[in-house]
Amino acid sequence: MASQEEGLKKLIAHSKEYGFVFPSSEIYDGLGAVYDYGQNGVELKNNLKRFWWDSMVLLNENVVGIDSAIFMHPTTWKASGHVDAFNDPLIDNKDSKKRYRADVLIEELLAKYDDKIDKEVEKAAKRFGESFDEKMYRETNPRVLDNQAKRDEIYARFVKALHDNDLGELRQIIVDNEIACPISGTRNWTDVRQFNLMFSTEMGSTSEGAMKIYLRPETAQGIFVNYLNVQKTGRMKIPFGIAQIGKAFRNEIVARQFIFRMREFEQMEMQFFVRPGDEMKWYEHWKEVRLKWHKALGLGDEKYRFHDHEKLAHYANAATDIEYEMPFGFKEVEGIHSRTDFDLASHEKFSGKNIKYFDPELKKSYVPYVVETSIGLDRTFLSIMAGAYCEEELENGDSRVVLKFNPALAPIKAAILPLVRKDGLPEKAREIMDDLKFDFKCVYDEKDSIGKRYRRQDAVGTPFCITVDQQTLEDNMVTIRYRDSMKQDRVAIKDLQKIIDDQVNIKNLLKKLA
Ligand code: GAP
């Protein structure tokens, strides 16, 4: 089995080699934590967006979409709390001059204790075989208990420090636990300071008149400031939701793990406006709906879990993450937050405009509460690449890399392959392509042996290869090869559209949510 690091490296190399993800401005050696999506990446990303969008605005009568601008009036970010509170606690190592997130250093230490404990348990499980009682071992083994006690103590201090916003205590935890800089190996640390994550730029043509504006760090605020526009023009009644897909920007300090933590990324967010007091009911509802969506991607139900937040963001009264088991452990892909009336009430205060909703059933006005679902498109993309990537040894001694995407998400649905480049086969293959291209993203490929061409399509996850041979010219039948089973069938050209559509239609995914 590949180590976590090797697994991620392979995925990064494969993503680049097959046109999924490239480092941004690579000819200039790239730009930290910024990536471009290639010809196959963008198709996969678009399919994912479509699945999310349709699951929100088609399957829910009371959810509609918008597309708001990235630039917003700067007061938006004052009202939302981002100017004052969208910070990471940073610490520098004085010798290496490297900057770290203090909370991440401590989380990594906690993960080391978890690892130690798990390894101890694994070793014992091997030693004792069938008769091993893991629960009993965890509760009684002195080494496990010792490590667990140390971990619990650090964890309790950490959670309290985060709650109290106590930067001195965060530093003290790092010092007390002798956490060293991975570069210099020393423990020569500065104080912990807060660092705002928003990028800013200037708008306006004269230096005196220029206004400092921010690149939005979340798409949600574009929804909040438009909620009454949508409610009135769409005659929406509470409860209702507004969905949006768009770019967000954060000046992340710890930017690594490929497209997991980027400085420019894409979010798919939905704000659901509810009556005050109903928010917990809807919070539970959306938790369930969103987990189901992730599971429908087909990467394995056991790959997902909820993780409730230890420290709630400045706007939330309940929050959980949906985590996916990435090549580097369980990581957040989506946040579900009960945001109370924090944002709307704050926008009302800062703008001086009345943005209350008049509830015709209750016959009174109020500021709605909000439950939000906020999923990272790039992280979901990464989860799909990681979950779909398979290396297989074949019976004939060959091996292949295959991306086992759900067919509805696959960037290319069918490859049309004339067996040889003569005898009218290319022309026949083109005819088939010209017919299918109105419904599906197809590719035509006549170069190299048929085996090599199959391998190329496996590597980008194409569910169907359609081979045109001499016999096709006589009977209008082709060979269809299925990506996962590699089974081949002889089928009529006239049936191709239906065979492919049955597998790749996004409806297949949407129906799993019903
Ligand atoms: N509106 C709420 C909000 O933005 P968040 O938990 O900060 O909440 C939501 O972000 C999702 O956006 C995360 O679950 C993650 O998938 C994605 N995300 C956040 N920061 C990211 C980054 N730097 N790179 C890639 N995705 C990111």
Side-chain angles (χ1 to χ4, degrees), residues 10-25:
K10 275 190 185 175
L11 205 59
I12 296 172
H14 192 86
S15 297
K16 188 174 162 208
E17 189 178 345
Y18 287 94
F20 284 90
V21 182
F22 307 125
S24 157
S25 28

Side-chain angles (χ1 to χ4, degrees), residues 44-60 63-66 219 223 241-246 267-271 286 289-290 293-294 297 333-336 372-377 380 409 506 509-510 513:
L44 173 57
K45 211 174 168 202
N46 284 343
N47 293 336
L48 259 175
K49 285 192 207 179
R50 170 93 194 278
F51 177 40
W52 183 85
W53 187 264
D54 288 357
S55 77
M56 286 294 174
V57 306
L58 297 191
L59 299 193
N60 299 285
V63 176
V64 292
I66 62 164
T219 59
I223 294 179
I242 304 179
Q244 166 158 239
I245 299 177
Q267 291 184 317
M268 305 193 286
E269 299 201 293
M270 196 276 301
Q271 319 299 129
W286 283 108
V289 170
R290 294 304 306 145
W293 185 92
H294 284 275
L297 298 171
V333 285
E334 172 158 2
I336 296 155
E372 102 176 325
T373 69
S374 174
I375 171 172
L377 180 55
T380 311
L409 299 175
I506 202 99
L509 283 179
L510 292 169
L513 306 179

